[in-house]
Amino acid sequence: MDKPVEMFDRDYEWSALTRFIEDEQPGATLGVVSGRRRQGKTFLLDAASRAAGGFYFGATEAADAESLRRISAALTAHVRPTSPYHFADWAEAVDALLALGTERPVPVVIDEFPYLAKANPELPSIIQEALRTLRDQRSGSRTRLLLCGSALSFMGRLLAGNAPLRGRAGLELVVRPLDYRLAAEFWNITDPRLALQVNAIVGGTPAYRREFARGDTPNGAEDFDDWVIRTVLNPETPLFREARYLLAEEFDLRDTALYLSVLAAVADGNATRGGMAGYLERKATDIAHPINVLEDAGLLHRDADAFRDNRPTYRIAEPLIGFYHAIMRPVWDQLERPGSAARVWQASRRRFASNVLGPHFEQVCRDWALHHADPELIGGLPARVGHGVVHDPKARVGHEVDVAVIGIADGSKPPLLAIGEAKWNDTMGIAHVERLQHIRDLITEAGRYDTTGTRLLCFSGAGFNDKAYAAAHLDPHVELIDLKTLYGMS
């Protein structure tokens, strides 16, 4: 299948769908496609269905009987049988979908599947029965049935544990946001500092540029503030309320106010369970369930501490939600009044730098180390990249490590390939290098990791002074990483 020319990237996803759809093996097969809203799943699956001459059905939030009528009408329009379909139940409808693949592999897409399963919880079991191994309707078909959904908590359970469809899927595809490098290319931004500022607000969600901002991209660094005011903080644009809608669209969120408060706590710098509980003036056990649900929904991400067991921290996974809680929610009443955006933004820029840009820059540095860094530069291929706190027993303080690159263990202690410090607005110097050297010594004494070849990485959005360059020149274990390096532009 030829990928549409208007589709940006998604080469991996398109190849995976192509292999699944064009598989000539007999027997109907099941695929599950998931991902947060606005990532282009519908465009991707609709394009694949059209390219292969398949059938696409987009479910809506409706009663079961209405959905059956809609799919009956849609399949009638697609097949054009001598008499129209009038499915009495979903078992009959699924068999009709399997019949589409009697002559060749045919993709059949059911988009927004959680809507159908919410109205009829038996639907996954009905599909399980329809795809039973020795069933004639399955063995005589080459239908490639693709179930798609944006409710990540629901889609995550669809193939998990004792779920009816567990073990039935031949494809499990997650359509993720574009990473920070691809996002810069998608937004047509060549200035790495501007690219990171924009990415800290809208992340890598394609729809935010094409549909929500109507193609409005900052025209250089000097236009960034005006761009924020006329798009994200403008009550006339869809981006203005998008963060609130993302939370409301998840099926499993009952007490929305509590979930909003948990996200607000994290956005305000309370990254631990205890910190969140203190912010909300509740017991830590009271917020365990909201945290788990937000994790399942893909809105909150749990990071293990690289140096201390059972000390996880949490971060907001969707940048727009983090921006909303840090900048917009505290002054929502002001922002809803037209013409107030410029005044609010002027007063919020320092908070944006500390609560949004700083943490986002640190995460981009970790993403670079894991996915883009040359293994020779960081001392090997990373198994995982995280962050954490290193305890100094003599000084009785903890030292935060923004980037911890851990290699593959080979029967002994895992190698600590690199540790790094990330500063968005600070010019880094020799003091930062010496701090990392001291932390490396503390890690060596703790004995958890092999620090024989540990590199010291200084990440800066503002650059480095002469002493930092001199230290990097003298010590091959010291690396200075600027924004151009992070974006592959150096």
Side-chain angles (χ1 to χ4, degrees):
M1 300 189 306
D2 293 329
K3 192 182 81 169
V5 293
E6 64 270 25
M7 184 179 293
F8 177 82
D9 192 60
R10 299 305 188 197
D11 295 333
Y12 170 81
E13 292 86 348
W14 187 263
S15 297
L17 284 172
T18 299
R19 290 192 299 271
F20 177 75
I21 290 170
E22 295 184 344
D23 185 358
E24 291 286 346
Q25 291 186 68
T29 50
L30 174 69
V32 174
V33 180
S34 61
R36 293 208 305 268
R37 291 192 183 278
R38 328 298 188 221
Q39 305 307 323
K41 300 185 301 301
T42 294
F43 178 45
L44 180 71
L45 292 171
D46 190 26
S49 179
R50 291 173 185 270
F55 173 69
Y56 173 91
F57 176 72
T60 58
E61 196 166 8
D64 194 47
E66 181 185 354
S67 295
L68 277 170
R69 284 197 299 271
R70 287 190 64 244
I71 198 169
S72 298
L75 195 56
T76 297
H78 178 77
V79 177
R80 299 183 183 278
T82 53
S83 59
Y85 292 109
H86 294 289
F87 299 128
D89 53 41
W90 280 105
E92 188 178 331
V94 173
D95 279 346
L97 296 177
L98 296 184
L100 296 177
T102 53
E103 296 181 359
R104 63 180 181 88
V106 171
V108 171
V109 177
I110 300 180
D111 201 359
E112 297 299 353
F113 179 72
Y115 285 141
L116 301 181
K118 183 180 180 182
N120 187 340
E122 296 179 358
L123 189 51
S125 296
I126 292 171
I127 295 174
Q128 176 198 31
E129 172 59 23
L131 295 176
R132 184 162 40 85
T133 304
L134 298 179
R135 192 168 180 265
D136 292 341
Q137 290 87 340
R138 176 188 182 274
S139 58
S141 169
R142 281 181 288 176
T143 287
R144 308 308 177 210
L145 180 61
L146 289 155
L147 307 180
C148 178
S150 302
L152 293 188
S153 54
F154 174 88
M155 297 302 292
R157 294 193 301 268
L158 200 59
L159 303 175
N162 296 321
L165 294 178
R166 176 168 174 76
R168 298 285 180 175
L171 173 72
E172 295 181 46
L173 180 64
V174 179
V175 181
R176 305 182 188 278
L178 302 173
D179 88 338
Y180 71 95
R181 284 189 174 183
L182 283 172
E185 184 181 346
F186 181 73
W187 280 82
N188 195 28
I189 299 174
T190 56
D191 177 350
R193 186 174 182 85
L194 177 61
L196 197 136
Q197 288 175 306
V198 171
N199 190 250
I201 299 175
V202 294
T205 298
Y208 292 163
R209 184 193 178 195
R210 285 178 170 161
E211 287 87 11
F212 285 49
R214 301 186 300 279
D216 186 351
T217 301
N219 186 25
E222 68 282 354
D223 187 41
F224 174 71
D225 290 334
D226 288 340
W227 174 81
V228 173
I229 293 167
R230 68 178 180 259
T231 56
V232 191
L233 299 183
N234 183 355
E236 299 173 6
T237 67
L239 270 176
F240 182 75
R241 293 178 176 82
E242 171 66 2
R244 297 167 77 120
Y245 294 155
L246 283 174
L247 193 66
E249 287 168 345
E250 281 292 332
F251 294 161
D252 291 342
L253 304 188
R254 299 290 183 260
D255 184 359
T256 306
L258 178 58
Y259 296 101
L260 284 169
S261 295
V262 170
L263 292 171
V266 178
D268 201 43
N270 302 283
T272 65
R273 288 199 179 204
M276 286 181 257
Y279 181 91
L280 299 173
E281 297 183 359
R282 296 195 178 203
K283 295 179 181 179
T285 52
D286 294 342
I287 62 171
H289 178 69
I291 289 173
N292 291 337
V293 172
L294 287 169
E295 281 190 84
D296 292 341
L299 301 178
L300 205 60
H301 192 278
R302 179 182 185 273
D303 293 321
D305 191 306
F307 305 103
R308 302 178 301 173
D309 294 327
N310 302 318
R311 297 289 184 90
T313 56
Y314 295 85
R315 57 183 168 86
I316 297 174
E318 170 53 55
L320 188 62
I321 291 180
F323 180 82
Y324 164 76
H325 282 282
I327 305 300
M328 300 173 70
R329 189 167 179 250
V331 290
W332 186 256
D333 290 344
Q334 293 191 49
L335 284 172
E336 283 193 306
R337 181 180 179 181
S340 299
R343 177 169 171 264
V344 169
W345 179 240
Q346 183 64 31
S348 304
R349 291 178 63 183
R350 181 176 296 180
R351 183 173 176 83
F352 173 66
S354 61
N355 287 42
V356 178
L357 268 178
H360 188 75
F361 179 60
E362 293 173 10
Q363 185 56 44
V364 165
C365 294
R366 290 189 283 269
D367 290 342
W368 172 84
L370 184 61
H371 300 297
H372 298 291
D374 185 339
E376 292 186 6
L377 187 146
I378 58 174
L381 182 69
R384 60 188 177 95
V385 175
H387 58 99
V389 175
V390 176
H391 181 60
D392 186 338
K394 293 181 180 178
R396 296 184 178 181
V397 296
H399 298 284
E400 291 189 12
V401 176
D402 298 326
V403 181
V405 186
I406 299 151
I408 302 169
D410 188 17
S412 58
K413 291 188 295 187
L416 183 64
L417 301 181
I419 56 173
E421 184 169 2
K423 296 294 183 184
W424 169 250
N425 262 338
D426 294 349
T427 300
M428 300 185 77
I430 190 63
H432 297 91
V433 176
E434 291 173 346
R435 177 179 180 273
L436 288 174
Q437 290 171 337
H438 176 60
I439 292 173
R440 182 176 57 188
D441 292 341
L442 293 173
I443 297 170
T444 302
E445 292 172 8
R448 179 168 185 163
Y449 295 109
D450 178 0
T451 60
T452 305
T454 300
R455 310 290 175 91
L456 307 179
L457 310 178
C458 292
F459 299 89
S460 176
F464 310 91
N465 64 23
D466 291 342
K467 290 185 178 180
Y469 282 114
H473 178 73
L474 293 173
D475 187 346
H477 284 85
V478 176
E479 299 288 348
L480 308 182
I481 315 298
D482 58 13
L483 286 170
K484 287 187 176 181
T485 302
L486 287 176
Y487 276 89
M489 298 178 182
S490 58

